[in-house]
Amino acid sequence: MLLQALFRLEAENSSQPEARASVAQGTEIDARRVVAINRVPAEEANQSFWSDYVGRSLAILLQHAGYHEESQRKHLRFFKDIIAPHLGAPLSSWKSFMTDDGNPVELSWEWSVDDQEPRVRYSIEPIGPHTGTKLDPFNTAVIRDFDQALARALPEADMTWYEHFARFFSCSTTDSISRESQGHATHRFYAFDLVDDDITAKAYFFPGFKARELRVAILDLISQSISSAPQWFSYGARALAAFQAFGAQKQLEYDMVAIDLVKPRESRIKIYYRCRETAFESVVDCLTLSGLVTFPALSQGIQDLRVFWNALFQKGDQSQIPLPTVNHRTAGILYNVELRPNYTSPVVKMYIPVRHYCNSDQHVVQTLSSFLRSKVSDRSAEAYTKVMQSLL
């Protein structure tokens, strides 16, 4: 598991507000394009816009990740027919929490340390036609339509846990889901892992709104939601208890709970949390839950991460010195702790926010390319570099 078990780079663009660095959405809003598509019916125009702009970037990722042609066509059709119609108007006033620039789509790919082909993924926040207006001020109306479209497109998806967590975190008052309470008004994400010809869906819930309504601690509410889930695997209780013990001694911000839309006995549960401490020693503490997480490759994984961290942030070997202070809702380090079937110990991953702490896209690309070349393969480094040259 090595490096993959320790951190994942979901690189956020450090200098351009409209693009994402390591995966580069390529969905920057072109006003001239918007004017052109506004000559056709609104829903058709919106679908065309997102299908063209995001579809282009998605096609580049699929090609360079080695997906065969029929798989590429299938995944692009799914995005065009199911996802694009539910992304709203390209110049919508709604600012999604998905990205720092309010874009409702984030593309990514994941490398394996054993030099397998990378896996392409993307995450979205569905946006309705009236989102942000008096008709749908909190973007709730679109969820039912999108869920129905998703069920038709992916009939094998299991909604058992989705329905449980959706009910558990549902708020009864609009005041509870105001933007001011959480620094955003987003309350549902979806993500899609593209594995050969298959698509695995995931759902993300934001428990902070319900915790505010009930006036309870967010971690307590999250723990209750997990423990009461149908078919919750009892051996997962040990992993959850380990994370609760860690959370009790750290100042953490809890953003999301995520599940796979598969049978409960096969699904993972992820808790996303943010720590504003950015010194490398704090990163190690969060990744190991203060020493509660151990496995044979841990020491080597930490060493590899330190090399990458020092090169990326040009810190030298100064593990006690934090990154520059940034006053932003998504500053700090985002982590997720994963509770898996058949795992009695949690698995922790981190997301490195290069948007806030790196000087340029070029530096990020060069650093990650060098790292892939040294730790994975020349082939992976070359594929990554080609993709970035195509997208940025």
Side-chain angles (χ1 to χ4, degrees):
M1 297 171 71
L2 285 175
L3 206 60
Q4 186 180 8
L6 285 172
F7 71 97
R8 176 187 300 151
L9 181 69
E10 300 280 312
E12 300 169 286
N13 185 294
S14 57
S15 63
Q16 310 246 356
E18 289 92 3
R20 311 290 287 180
S22 93
V23 294
Q25 291 172 239
T27 53
E28 56 270 24
I29 307 301
D30 185 333
R32 292 171 296 181
R33 169 67 173 159
V34 173
V35 170
I37 64 176
N38 277 342
R39 296 172 184 171
V40 298
E43 291 185 3
E44 181 181 341
N46 296 341
Q47 179 181 4
S48 176
F49 175 87
W50 292 113
S51 181
D52 288 351
Y53 275 74
V54 180
R56 171 186 171 272
S57 299
L58 180 58
I60 291 172
L61 284 175
L62 290 168
Q63 179 183 0
H64 285 281
Y67 288 71
H68 58 76
E69 291 186 5
E70 183 54 38
S71 291
Q72 293 181 44
R73 286 193 288 268
K74 175 181 178 179
H75 295 314
L76 291 172
R77 281 197 302 268
F78 179 84
F79 185 89
K80 177 180 181 292
D81 295 341
I82 307 301
I83 305 302
H86 295 93
L87 294 177
L91 293 180
S92 171
S93 61
W94 184 261
K95 297 300 181 184
S96 174
F97 191 56
M98 176 62 66
T99 60
D100 282 356
D101 62 353
N103 197 312
V105 185
E106 181 177 74
L107 305 180
S108 67
W109 60 354
E110 180 182 25
W111 292 277
S112 171
V113 294
D114 55 9
D115 197 28
Q116 295 179 357
E117 297 288 359
R119 177 182 300 180
V120 175
R121 307 167 303 171
Y122 58 87
S123 305
I124 68 157
E125 178 184 7
I127 308 293
H130 304 295
T131 294
T133 70
K134 292 182 179 180
L135 295 176
D136 186 19
F138 301 109
N139 194 32
T140 56
V142 69
I143 290 180
R144 181 176 179 180
D145 290 341
F146 183 74
D147 287 350
Q148 291 174 346
L150 194 61
R152 290 191 296 268
L154 300 176
E156 69 279 8
D158 190 299
M159 305 301 283
T160 303
W161 271 7
Y162 178 87
E163 292 170 356
H164 165 75
F165 286 101
R167 286 193 302 267
F168 199 97
F169 294 130
S170 176
C171 292
S172 58
T173 64
T174 56
D175 178 64
S176 301
I177 54 177
S178 66
R179 181 180 299 273
E180 291 74 17
S181 67
Q182 300 298 311
H184 65 87
T186 293
H187 59 281
R188 192 73 49 83
F189 284 161
Y190 299 81
F192 303 90
D193 286 0
L194 313 183
V195 185
D196 298 326
D197 292 334
D198 296 327
I199 300 174
T200 300
K202 298 176 284 189
Y204 297 70
F205 305 89
F206 290 81
F209 300 109
K210 187 64 174 181
R212 180 176 184 268
E213 178 181 272
L214 298 178
R215 298 183 180 181
V216 298
I218 297 180
L219 184 55
D220 290 344
L221 184 70
I222 291 173
S223 300
Q224 292 170 17
S225 72
I226 295 173
S227 298
S228 61
Q231 302 176 49
W232 161 245
F233 35 92
S234 59
Y235 42 81
R238 179 178 174 183
L240 178 59
F243 179 68
Q244 288 175 297
F246 172 75
Q249 63 179 341
K250 297 283 287 188
Q251 190 171 353
L252 305 175
E253 302 169 19
Y254 302 96
D255 279 336
M256 297 178 289
V257 173
I259 57 167
D260 303 310
L261 300 187
V262 298
K263 295 178 181 179
R265 297 291 293 186
E266 301 171 0
S267 179
R268 302 162 299 172
I269 298 180
K270 297 180 181 180
I271 304 171
Y272 285 76
Y273 61 98
R274 191 178 307 277
C275 182
R276 299 289 171 171
E277 299 175 5
T278 58
F280 187 77
E281 64 178 13
S282 173
V283 169
V284 174
D285 190 55
C286 285
L287 285 172
T288 63
L289 302 186
S290 297
L292 293 175
V293 174
T294 60
F295 54 89
L298 177 62
S299 178
Q300 182 62 51
I302 293 292
Q303 182 178 336
D304 290 342
L305 176 57
R306 185 188 299 273
V307 170
F308 180 68
W309 181 274
N310 292 340
L312 186 64
F313 299 119
Q314 300 173 310
K315 298 296 292 182
D317 192 15
Q318 300 171 319
S319 61
Q320 297 180 342
I321 298 179
L323 300 177
T325 301
V326 175
N327 184 22
H328 193 279
R329 174 63 177 79
T330 60
I333 309 295
L334 181 67
Y335 303 85
N336 77 60
V337 60
E338 187 175 292
L339 312 177
R340 296 182 177 183
N342 301 319
Y343 276 65
T344 57
S345 178
V347 177
V348 186
K349 299 176 183 177
M350 68 178 295
Y351 298 78
I352 302 177
V354 297
R355 167 188 285 271
H356 296 306
Y357 302 109
C358 287
N359 295 326
S360 69
D361 293 331
Q362 182 179 10
H363 173 67
V364 175
V365 173
Q366 290 176 344
T367 303
L368 182 53
S369 178
S370 297
F371 185 81
L372 288 173
R373 194 176 304 278
S374 65
K375 298 298 180 181
V376 183
S377 69
D378 290 344
R379 183 170 65 96
S380 295
E382 291 169 1
Y384 168 72
T385 302
K386 288 180 180 178
V387 166
M388 298 311 298
Q389 291 172 343
S390 299
L391 294 177
L392 289 180

